[in-house]
Structure formats: structure tokens, C-alpha cells
Amino acid sequence: MINDRDILETIQMISQEHLDVRTVTMGISLHSCADEDAKRACEKMYTKICRKAENLVSVACDIEKEYGIPIINKRISVTPISYIIAAAAGDDPNFDATPYAETLQRAADTCGVNFIGGFSALVQKGMSVADNALINSIPSALTQTRNVCSSVNIASTRAGINMDAVARMGHIIRELAERTRDQDSIGCAKLVVFANATEDNPFMAGAFHGQGEGECMINVGVSGPGVVKKALEKCDGDLADVAETIKRTAFKITRMGQLVAREASSRLKVPFGIVDLSLAPTPAQGDSVAHILEEMGLETCGSCGTTAALALLNDAVKKGGVMASSQVGGLSGAFIPVSEDAGMINAVKCGALSLNKLEAMTAVCSVGLDMIAVPGDTPAEVLSALIADEAAIGVINSKTTAVRVIPAYGKNVGDVVSFGGLLGEAPIMPISGYSPAKFIRRGGRIPAPIQSLKN
């Protein structure tokens, strides 16, 4: 039963504590659009996306007005495009998948969504001709589109780490950074390299509509770092009390997300998939995961104790979300994207937060090394090795990890890249200059860990 106190508390969370629904994401299967004729396939894709999502934005806006709940983004995710281009690519290793990305952009424009994700490939165990074609097309595709996002899954606990794909992605990121150099290499902010990617993630840039999903689904991502921080300001107890406070707060946030998800599902006549309870920060003051950790008692994010505090936060968020809904999914944890979190930005600027510390933090949170800017002259092999390190954490711990790194063209440590909006700004962080080139060039596959044998 909802009482007056719950209603007033929710109003306060929205008006004063940055509580919002970060995204309503419609997942759409495009398997029926595959065709040996690329132009025909693109037209099928455009027609199906527009038919399924034609009312997505208007319905989300109606819910926003009726309930007074801010819905920041309306998004679409689609079947990994590498599957769709396979029929047209055939055995051609030089097949250009860019027109498929341009079709996604056209559909996004028609539907009025903020982002469309799924220019993706899953290559954790090997790469098909179509996978290779898609990966090779990423720099062109993301340069020639505005709202299209891309992801590549290069590892899983079950398959191990595809080091050939890891090596390739270092060069792809470098090329993408150079192609978008006049915009602080923003193209790299639309590309995520995953280990153990989830099929129902509503958050960009890594969202795609997985093989195990239905024909069309509604997934909602809720965020409320400011709400959690505000709750902790009133908590004077020990760390068990801190965990309980976070859990109760996450419960309330998830309930709101489920309400929006069920309303959107009903009005769009599309099945409700999941609520992703991820504490996704913004550059706005009072909406920071780093500030939550500091509210627990750290002088600054990045100090000793940060990883332990983040582990407590992530676990409590998941427990609260699972109590509130039986359909919690996606990533559901605490995000630590440097450029998108005012507290993280400050911690980097004052020297408290290093790349090494961030890597340690990713062992206990969602998702990984996110929105990190490094010098533009960072070698491709170093970027690949960074991806491999993060993938190893995910594979060994059976969790999703990812890298969204920006080698900012022409920038060095001490400079800043600025993207505006939710993407914020990122100080250029130092990265080890010692070469992993020989290790990366060995290629092959790092075998799956022993814990993958669970049958």
C-alpha cells in the first residue's frame, strides 16, 4: 500500500535529489530483416524499427507528464548487426557495413530517439566474415552517424578471451579517435568493448537486443546516485546500517522504475523485459557515485578503502533491487564513468584517483573502465592490453566488465576533453608507457578459467 509519506518522499527524490528514469529502451529483433541484397536488408530494418518504435517517444513523454517522473532518454537497441549483414557479406572480407549504421541513424531520426544501439558483434570465441566486416566498419560507421552506438564482446567466462579480437580493437579505437579528432575524439564514447556482455542492457553505448530476447521488449534503466547520497547523510550507524540504508533506498528507486516499465509496456503493447537499477551518475553536482563513497567516510574517491566502499554499495543496490522486482536485469550496479561523474572528475584532477585504482574498483562494480580519456598518442597495443586486463577481471569473476576508453587526439596528461551533456568532460589520465606489444601480438585465445566448467 502506497501512503502519503511514500508519495511525498518520491516527490522530494525527483525534485531535489536527481531521481530519474535514465532510459526507456525498446529492444527490437532484426533477424527477419537479413537479406542477401544489402539495400533490401537496410530498407527492411528501417521499416521494422519505425513500425515497432513509432510511438516510443510519445508514450514515454506521456508517462513523464502524467506521473511527474523525468525520463531522460528514449532509446532503441537492436539485434547485433553482424548477424544481419552475414547474408549480404557472404565470404567477402572487405564488405562495408557502414550503410547498415546509416540506416540505424535514419530510423533513430524518424523515431526521435536519443540513441540506437546494436552495431555490434559477439566474438568471444572467434570471428566470422560478417564479424570482421562489422568491426572493420566501426570507425566509418560511428564517424558518419550521430546517435548510433557500437559494442564488441571479446570475452566470456565460458569461452575465455579472444586475443585476436582484443588486438584488433586497439587499432579500431585509435582509428576512430583520429577520425573524430575535431570533436575531442567523441566517436570513442560511442564504442564499448565487453567481456560477458548482457543481452538486456538498456544503457548506452553497450545496449543490444540479444539472441535470447523476444521479438520486441521494453527495458528500463533507473538511476539515483543523489537519492542514495541524501539517504546516507541521515545515517549515523555502522557499515551494516549503511548497507541497509542503501538497500532500502534502492528498493524504492526500483519500484518507480518498474511502474514506468509496466506503463510503457502496456501502452506500447510490448512485453516488459527488465528494470536495470544502475547508479548512473551525471556531471551535475549532487548526482555522483563518487560522492556516495565519500559520504560513507572517505576523504575522497580513490583513497584506500574506495574499493571496499564500492563493493558495499554495489551489493546493497542489487539486494534492494531484487527485493523490489522479480525482473531486475541488465547490469544493475554502480557505474563509475569518469567523465560523467563530477566527483570522479574532481578525484582525478586532485590526483587521488588513478587508472590503476579504477581498474581495482571494476572488480566489484558495474561495469568497467568507462569514459576514461588517455593521451592521444597511446599505442594501439597499450589500448588492447588495457582491454585484456579488464576482460580478465570479468572472465575470472564471472561478471560483466567493459572498456570505453578515449585516446584523445592531440591531447596529453593535464589537458581535458569536453563532450557536454551527460558525457561531461574528462581529464586526460596517465597510462603506463611500458610496452605490452609482444604479448598482444601473440594473438590466439586465453583459455576459459576452470570455473567455467559448471555442467
Side-chain angles (χ1 to χ4, degrees):
M1 177 70 70
I2 298 176
N3 56 40
D4 291 348
R5 181 180 176 184
D6 290 332
I7 294 171
L8 291 171
E9 188 177 55
T10 301
I11 291 171
Q12 180 178 322
M13 288 177 178
I14 292 169
S15 63
Q16 300 178 27
E17 300 167 11
H18 301 283
L19 177 61
D20 58 53
V21 170
R22 187 57 48 85
T23 178
V24 173
T25 301
M26 177 179 282
I28 303 172
S29 171
L30 296 184
H31 284 291
S32 61
C33 302
D35 198 293
E36 292 182 1
D37 185 301
K39 290 184 179 179
R40 197 157 53 229
C42 287
E43 283 308 308
K44 287 180 180 179
M45 285 168 51
Y46 175 79
T47 300
K48 184 168 187 178
I49 292 169
C50 292
R51 175 167 49 84
K52 293 286 188 182
E54 61 179 344
N55 297 319
L56 173 62
V57 172
S58 61
V59 164
C61 289
D62 287 345
I63 294 170
E64 189 174 16
K65 291 174 185 175
E66 289 177 31
Y67 289 92
I69 299 170
I71 300 175
I72 307 303
N73 285 291
K74 297 84 180 174
R75 299 165 172 170
I76 296 169
S77 64
V78 299
T79 303
I81 293 298
S82 66
Y83 295 136
I84 311 307
I85 70 172
D91 295 325
D92 180 5
N94 299 314
F95 183 84
D96 183 11
T98 303
Y100 290 77
E102 293 171 335
T103 299
L104 294 178
Q105 180 64 60
R106 189 158 58 101
D109 290 340
T110 300
C111 296
V113 295
N114 303 95
F115 290 104
I116 185 165
F119 196 76
S120 307
L122 311 182
V123 297
Q124 58 268 23
K125 204 167 186 177
M127 289 186 279
S128 68
V129 172
D131 293 329
N132 266 302
L134 183 130
I135 290 171
N136 290 337
S137 300
I138 287 174
S140 170
L142 297 191
T143 300
Q144 296 183 41
T145 58
R146 300 181 311 280
N147 308 96
V148 175
C149 292
S150 179
S151 58
V152 179
N153 192 71
I154 49 82
S156 71
T157 299
R158 192 72 178 175
I161 305 174
N162 182 347
M163 291 300 293
D164 293 323
V166 168
R168 185 76 192 109
M169 291 311 300
H171 290 279
I172 292 293
I173 292 169
R174 275 296 303 267
E175 183 180 347
L176 183 55
E178 183 171 352
R179 284 185 181 231
T180 56
R181 60 185 179 274
D182 58 337
Q183 298 174 281
D184 277 345
S185 299
I186 195 173
C188 299
K190 299 186 291 177
L191 172 62
V192 181
V193 185
F194 274 117
N196 290 321
T198 60
E199 296 189 331
D200 54 6
N201 167 24
F203 285 98
M204 298 297 171
F208 62 85
H209 190 66
Q211 293 288 83
E213 299 294 294
E215 180 69 14
C216 190
M217 308 287 286
I218 288 291
N219 298 318
V220 167
V222 185
S223 183
V227 178
V228 175
K229 181 183 182 297
K230 202 71 177 177
L232 289 181
E233 289 175 4
K234 305 168 188 174
C235 177
D236 295 324
D238 63 15
L239 291 176
D241 295 324
V242 167
E244 189 63 27
T245 299
I246 295 169
K247 189 170 69 174
R248 288 199 304 269
T249 306
F251 178 91
K252 296 171 186 175
I253 295 171
T254 307
R255 281 293 199 201
M256 186 196 74
Q258 183 166 268
L259 168 66
V260 171
R262 291 198 179 280
E263 279 295 310
S265 170
S266 174
R267 298 183 191 194
L268 291 165
K269 296 180 172 54
V270 172
F272 163 38
I274 56 93
V275 175
D276 185 325
L277 178 63
S278 289
L279 296 183
T282 71
Q285 290 296 324
D287 201 26
S288 163
V289 169
H291 289 160
I292 296 174
L293 305 180
E294 290 163 4
E295 190 61 43
M296 291 185 195
L298 302 176
E299 181 179 1
T300 183
C301 179
S303 67
C304 292
T306 297
T307 306
L310 185 59
L312 185 158
L313 173 63
N314 211 53
D315 182 66
V317 164
K318 291 178 186 293
K319 287 174 178 174
V322 169
M323 286 173 61
S325 173
S326 59
Q327 290 177 257
V328 171
L331 301 168
S332 290
F335 289 177
I336 52 172
V338 172
S339 78
E340 299 173 14
D341 187 308
M344 295 283 178
I345 294 170
N346 292 336
V348 172
K349 286 182 175 179
C350 76
L353 186 60
S354 67
L355 193 53
N356 287 341
K357 186 62 177 179
L358 279 166
E359 184 177 299
M361 293 163 67
T362 63
V364 298
C365 79
S366 301
V367 173
L369 295 171
D370 196 15
M371 289 301 290
I372 292 168
V374 296
D377 60 359
T378 302
E381 291 83 4
V382 172
L383 298 175
S384 294
L386 186 70
I387 292 168
D389 284 345
E390 194 60 28
I393 290 173
V395 166
I396 295 298
N397 291 288
S398 300
K399 70 184 293 290
T400 303
T401 53
V403 172
R404 189 161 46 149
V405 63
I406 302 154
Y409 188 89
K411 298 290 180 75
N412 293 298
V413 175
D415 295 331
V416 173
V417 292
S418 181
F419 305 120
L422 289 176
L423 295 178
E425 65 175 33
I428 306 298
M429 301 183 70
I431 188 169
S432 175
Y434 291 98
S435 177
K438 185 176 179 181
F439 174 72
I440 294 299
R441 289 171 189 159
R442 284 181 179 272
R445 185 154 55 96
I446 295 178
I450 191 67
Q451 58 262 40
S452 68
L453 300 177
K454 293 182 178 180
N455 289 340

